[in-house]
Every structure is written in C-alpha cells, then in structure tokens.
C-alpha cells in the first residue's frame, strides 16, 4: 500500500512538472500566434487545402482533384472557421458549430442524432468541434499544435456557456481528450460524413467545475471577454478578409 501511494505521488509530481513546462512554453509561444476567423477569400482556400493535406496524409480522406477539403456544413450561419497562424504561417485549423434547438445544424447532429437531438429538444446547447487539421511540417515545436488549436474551443466555452462540447474523433486519440478535458465516450465508432475511418463521439462537460479545472491546469487557455467576442460575436460577417485575433492569456499571467 505504501509503495502504491509513493508511486502515485511520484507520478503526480512528474505530471505537474510536465504541465509546468508546457505552460511556460505555450505562454511564450502565444506571443507569436494569431487566430483568424475566416469567412472567405484566399485564407478560406488555405484552410481547405490544409484540411486536405492533413486528411490525405492521415488516411482520413482519399484523393480530391481540387486539392481542397470542404463540405456543406462550412457555410452554415452557426459555423465558425478558424485558422491558427504561428510566425505568420498557417499551422492548423478547426471548425466549430454552436448548436441549439433553434439551430440544430452540424455534422455531428447528422451523424449521431440519437445522442444529440433528444438533448437539444430539452433545451441543452452544444459546441460541435470538427475538421481539426494540422500541418506538422510547420509546427514551431513538437506537440503544441493541438493545444494552440483547442484553445479556441475553451474560448467558445467561456463565451457561449453551453452544456457541453462534442468532438467526433478516432478512438486512438481518446486518451488525450480524457486526460486534459475529462472527455467521455458517448458512441461506438461509426461512419462520419466526409471521412473514411469510423469516429466515436466524445463529450467534454461544460460545467463550471470542469472548465475551471482545465483553465487552472492549462492557464494559456484563458481568454478575455474581448477576445471571445471577436471570435464568436458574429460568425457570418460579410467580408472577404479574415478577422485577426490575438491571444490574451498573457494578460492573466501579467496580472498574477
């Protein structure tokens, strides 16, 4: 028993050291990061090309003649398409849908209606996170792109205050989401629109306890109300140029 306790304590201390190093490096990196809410123009084509490059490499899709990956959910009024730029280069992208009983439109609603429709009918609201793609060749350091990109999801949490976030993912990625976000599997792997491998639906609770736990452990996920409003205040702005948004986590760090 004493040995098990000592092993758990050592493991916790090692995890804390890793988290501390991660937080320091991410805070420094955010000074060189820009988020863009993309509505059209060349930046939109760039994220579609990045999706295709990433998906083709990972076996998520087959060859597409245009060299771009887009779908019918991209231009919905509740859709938010983001590009993540580091040192001026596009390194990743993600798309979010805010879904409610008034706007129950997203790929996960179509793929997993048995899970989402009854809860939407009860008045719950969700973020559906899809089309996450990265360019490892452009990563400023190993392993940082998921954190840079998923920071957008935490800003969405704080803006919408929705019931939960849903993410359809390959089962081999589930340990990452469970460890950092307390994600719980809600379906078995099944066919998902537009991609080849089966995806399982995972839920990240949107309750205040879980959100605060994540923000405490990973403070670079923090964002000001201004940053959140710029990201999500208007998804369907009618312009060709993207809205550029700078991360604001450092303001919490400087005030500490």
């Amino acid at each position: 028993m004493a040995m098990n306790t000592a092993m758990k304590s050592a493991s916790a201390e090692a995890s804390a050291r890793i988290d501390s190093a991660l937080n320091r490096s991410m805070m420094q990196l955010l000074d060189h990061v820009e988020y863009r809410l993309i509505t059209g123009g060349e930046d939109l084509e760039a994220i579609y090309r990045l999706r295709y490059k990433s998906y083709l490499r990972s076996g998520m899709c087959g060859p597409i003649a245009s060299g771009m990956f887009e779908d019918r959910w991209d231009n919905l009024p509740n859709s938010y398409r983001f590009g993540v730029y580091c040192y001026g280069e596009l390194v990743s992208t993600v798309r979010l849908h805010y879904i409610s009983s008034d706007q129950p439109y997203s790929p996960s609603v179509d793929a997993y209606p048995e899970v989402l429709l009854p809860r939407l009918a009860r008045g719950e609201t969700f973020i559906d996170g899809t089309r996450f793609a990265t360019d490892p060749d452009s990563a400023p350091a190993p392993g940082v792109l998921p954190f840079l990109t998923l920071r957008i999801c935490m800003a969405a949490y704080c803006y919408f205050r929705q019931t939960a976030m849903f993410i359809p993912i390959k089962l081999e990625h589930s340990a990452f989401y469970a460890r950092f976000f307390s994600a719980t599997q809600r379906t078995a792997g099944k066919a998902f629109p537009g991609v080849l491998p089966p995806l399982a639906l995972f839920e990240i609770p949107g309750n205040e306890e879980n959100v605060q736990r994540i923000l405490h452990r990973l403070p670079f996920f923090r964002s000001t109300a201004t940053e959140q409003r710029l990201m999500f205040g208007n998804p369907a702005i009618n312009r060709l140029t993207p809205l550029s948004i700078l991360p604001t986590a450092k303001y919490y760090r400087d005030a500490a």
Side-chain angles (χ1 to χ4, degrees):
M1 182 69 70
M3 182 176 293
N4 288 339
T5 301
M7 290 176 64
K8 289 181 180 178
S9 177
S11 177
E13 290 177 2
S15 294
R17 287 195 296 271
I18 293 172
D19 288 352
S20 179
L22 173 66
N23 285 320
R24 287 195 301 272
S25 62
M26 291 299 298
M27 281 293 194
Q28 295 170 356
L29 187 58
L30 285 181
D31 286 336
H32 308 284
V33 170
E34 170 191 344
Y35 295 107
R36 294 184 192 174
L37 174 61
I38 296 174
T39 58
E42 293 181 358
D43 289 279
L44 188 57
E45 293 185 359
I47 67 169
Y48 290 163
R49 286 193 293 269
L50 174 55
R51 279 185 197 169
Y52 175 65
K53 177 183 177 181
S54 175
Y55 283 13
L56 186 65
R57 173 184 292 183
S58 64
M60 291 284 284
C61 75
I64 300 174
S66 66
M68 294 189 288
F69 188 108
E70 56 183 307
D71 61 41
R72 62 187 179 87
W73 295 279
D74 273 315
N75 293 301
L76 294 177
N78 62 328
S79 172
Y80 302 79
R81 295 164 298 195
F82 288 96
V84 181
Y85 292 76
C86 190
Y87 296 101
E89 298 293 326
L90 176 64
V91 296
S92 66
T93 181
V94 70
R95 181 185 65 197
L96 305 181
H97 290 85
Y98 176 65
I99 53 178
S100 64
S101 58
D102 292 331
Q103 290 190 315
Y105 314 119
S106 81
S108 290
V109 172
D110 288 356
Y112 314 101
E114 72 283 3
V115 175
L116 292 172
L117 288 181
R119 295 180 62 175
L120 288 169
R122 293 198 297 266
E124 297 184 55
T125 58
F126 306 109
I127 295 293
D128 184 19
T130 58
R131 302 316 186 215
F132 177 25
T134 65
D135 182 5
D137 296 335
S138 299
V144 302
L145 293 185
F147 292 105
L148 286 180
T149 313
L150 294 172
R151 187 178 174 275
I152 299 170
C153 301
M154 286 307 302
Y157 259 137
C158 296
Y159 181 82
F160 289 108
R161 298 293 177 177
Q162 75 286 342
T163 307
M165 178 174 180
F166 283 98
I167 47 171
I169 60 174
K170 295 180 181 178
L171 285 172
E172 55 261 39
H173 297 158
S174 62
F176 171 83
Y177 289 94
R179 176 187 176 192
F180 288 102
F181 303 102
S182 300
T184 302
Q185 186 175 349
R186 295 303 184 203
T187 73
K190 60 183 294 188
F192 191 83
V195 298
L196 297 176
L199 303 182
L201 187 66
F202 280 74
E203 178 178 357
I204 300 174
N207 60 72
E208 190 66 17
E209 180 181 359
N210 191 46
V211 172
Q212 290 305 316
R213 184 192 65 80
I214 296 169
L215 294 177
H216 176 75
R217 182 177 185 182
L218 304 172
F220 58 85
F221 274 164
R222 295 185 180 275
S223 57
T224 64
T226 298
E227 182 183 358
Q228 297 160 20
R229 186 169 59 253
L230 288 172
M231 283 185 170
F232 303 106
N234 189 345
I237 301 172
N238 184 22
R239 60 167 177 262
L240 293 179
T241 56
L243 175 62
S244 296
I245 306 155
L246 299 179
T248 56
K250 66 180 180 180
Y251 295 115
Y252 287 92
R253 177 193 60 191
D254 293 342

